[in-house]
Amino acid sequence: MKQKVLVTGGVGYIGSHTVVELQNEGYDVVIVDNLSNSVISVLDGITKITGIRPEFEQFDLCDSVKTTNFFQKHKEIAVVIHFAAFKAVGESVQKPLMYYQNNLISLMNILENMKRQQIQNLVFSSSCTVYGQPDELPVTEKAPIKKANSPYGNTKQISEEIIYDLICSDDNLKAIALRYFNPIGAHESALIGELPIGTPNNLVPYITQTAIGKRKELSVFGNDYHTPDGSCIRDYINVVDLAKAHVVALKRLLAKKTKQNFETFNLGTGIGVSVLEIVNTFEKSTGQKVNYKIVGRRDGDVEKVWSDSKYANDELGWKTERSLEETLLSAWNWEKQYNSKKNE
Ligand code: UDP
């Protein structure tokens, strides 16, 4: 029998790419998403790629009654992959309560129901923001968790602590927290990709929207950081590579191969790239010009961070496969495809 996986936030960016990989590997997927930052047509893209339309329920996981009803109806769920959360660093600085409420209450509702229904496996969508500005680079999983730079980062720190505490209280429960660096790009089919509602907060969608003419110019947040070109440095990871890591983590849980009941893995390329380098690489690999101007720093940004992904490489047998050039090209192809469809 096919194993059933609940993917919360499965209509969203990383969620939708993960649903594709799960369905390609033969898992049965049920998605819960409130569509607060995603659109339902993503399900059509998933269906076109995989030939399977995933089961979908639209509700807010902060609603404890709806969440409980859902879990009572879906007793056969073997693994939960929890993506559903707000994710914009800058916005979280402006609206901290919204971030704490949304990201933490939904997690607690899910965990409570997992415990009640004896669902033993959780893959949690975490972030390199849990490290704040690390003292040493590249950052390993053993790096101290320092004070988060933003409420968003803090919700990820607190979420990991909540999961850890619950696991310590219950030997049956196991979780893997995947700490992503910066996911970018789109599925090679250009049928799904990053689809921010309104003005994009993240760098690459802002670049693709500028290149296509939807935005006048990209604002580069700061050129006075202690980095070679003065702009911030991140580790940009291809979203399909990232999605595949979730399937590996899920298999590890189901095969009971975890070494501890709560494990954390960094998911990145191990390479730090500056904002200006991203702009240049985008221009080179797509042939498109990106207008930009340098503006002041953005609140909540760390100066530089990139991963040491050796532990994930060795322990999960997973590594990134797609280059930065092809990843930026995939983001551009997605932007073009999405706009041509909209204009049909
Ligand atoms: N960034 C930028 N202009 C934008 C959006 C982002 O210069 O319009 C920079 C941001 O300051 C950071 C990097 O791009 O250094 C990545 O930001 P993003 O929001 O994509 O991801 P984050 O690292 O904050 O999770």
Side-chain angles (χ1 to χ4, degrees):
M1 207 188 75
K2 280 182 164 187
Q3 272 165 317
K4 188 146 197 170
V5 183
L6 164 60
V7 182
T8 75
V11 187
Y13 176 42
I14 308 171
S16 58
H17 288 81
T18 301
V19 170
V20 165
E21 297 306 319
L22 287 167
Q23 295 196 153
N24 283 343
E25 294 267 335
Y27 293 96
D28 232 347
V29 173
V30 55
I31 294 174
V32 171
D33 200 307
N34 66 358
L35 303 181
S36 66
N37 192 27
S38 54
V39 292
I40 191 75
S41 61
V42 170
L43 293 181
D44 299 335
I46 294 173
T47 310
K48 271 192 198 140
I49 297 169
T50 62
I52 303 162
R53 194 166 184 89
E55 223 180 308
F56 168 65
E57 291 207 20
Q58 181 181 351
F59 69 90
D60 191 332
L61 290 152
C62 291
D63 183 327
S64 69
V65 173
K66 285 185 181 156
T67 306
T68 300
N69 289 343
F70 170 85
F71 275 93
Q72 276 170 354
K73 207 171 96 190
H74 293 271
K75 289 196 164 46
E76 71 287 18
I77 290 169
V79 187
V80 176
I81 306 186
H82 179 38
F83 290 105
F86 292 154
K87 59 172 185 176
V89 169
E91 184 185 52
S92 78
V93 177
Q94 307 304 322
K95 299 176 183 168
L97 286 182
M98 189 176 102
Y99 270 69
Y100 287 115
Q101 273 167 358
N102 186 64
N103 291 5
L104 299 180
I105 292 174
S106 55
L107 172 69
M108 287 191 283
N109 283 340
I110 290 166
L111 292 176
E112 198 182 350
N113 280 286
M114 285 181 69
K115 200 168 156 59
R116 197 176 290 139
Q117 301 295 343
Q118 296 177 331
I119 299 170
Q120 298 180 347
N121 305 299
L122 172 70
V123 179
F124 178 65
S125 168
S126 191
S127 163
C128 66
T129 54
V130 300
Y131 299 116
Q133 176 60 67
D135 293 327
E136 282 175 36
L137 290 168
V139 59
T140 72
E141 291 82 354
K142 293 201 170 72
I145 302 295
K146 297 208 294 188
K147 183 171 167 32
N149 269 43
S150 68
Y152 161 71
N154 206 19
T155 67
K156 291 296 175 187
Q157 287 187 357
I158 298 170
S159 293
E160 286 197 9
E161 283 170 3
I162 292 171
I163 295 166
Y164 178 78
D165 287 345
L166 181 66
I167 280 173
C168 290
S169 77
D170 182 346
D171 261 354
N172 292 319
L173 198 63
K174 295 184 178 42
I176 296 180
L178 299 176
R179 294 176 177 163
Y180 319 144
F181 285 67
N182 287 56
I184 60 165
H187 193 265
E188 40 268 30
S189 64
L191 290 166
I192 54 171
E194 193 164 6
L195 201 51
I197 291 177
T199 310
N201 288 298
N202 294 107
L203 178 63
V204 171
Y206 211 107
I207 289 178
T208 56
Q209 291 195 8
T210 306
I212 210 144
K214 245 194 252 178
R215 313 266 158 210
K216 198 168 126 259
E217 60 192 356
L218 167 75
S219 294
V220 173
F221 298 134
N223 69 345
D224 56 352
Y225 286 99
H226 298 105
T227 59
D229 65 23
S231 63
C232 286
I233 295 181
R234 297 284 182 275
D235 180 340
Y236 294 91
I237 172 173
N238 180 287
V239 68
V240 175
D241 285 339
L242 185 67
K244 286 177 186 288
H246 292 77
V247 182
V248 176
L250 169 145
K251 286 182 177 169
R252 181 177 173 93
L253 286 166
L254 288 173
K256 303 201 181 307
K257 291 257 176 69
T258 55
K259 291 196 170 149
Q260 290 106 34
N261 288 352
F262 180 63
E263 293 185 326
T264 54
F265 293 98
N266 284 349
L267 299 181
T269 65
I271 302 165
V273 181
S274 75
V275 176
L276 293 173
E277 282 171 332
I278 288 285
V279 172
N280 287 337
T281 311
F282 180 87
E283 288 184 338
K284 274 200 203 110
S285 47
T286 64
Q288 296 298 312
K289 178 99 194 75
V290 180
N291 296 323
Y292 72 87
K293 65 171 179 212
I294 308 284
V295 300
R297 294 181 178 194
R298 179 174 71 175
D299 282 348
D301 270 341
V302 301
E303 181 169 89
K304 51 188 166 198
V305 63
W306 62 92
S307 75
D308 183 331
S309 295
K310 189 173 179 324
Y311 186 55
N313 299 159
D314 294 350
E315 208 36 58
L316 296 177
W318 164 92
K319 63 175 175 22
T320 54
E321 285 169 0
R322 292 156 181 82
S323 69
L324 182 62
E325 287 76 9
E326 70 182 291
T327 301
L328 289 169
L329 188 58
S330 72
W332 175 236
N333 287 337
W334 158 246
E335 183 72 59
K336 280 192 301 188
Q337 191 280 143
Y338 181 71
N339 282 280
S340 66
K341 211 174 64 187
K342 255 190 4 195
N343 297 334
E344 264 169 21

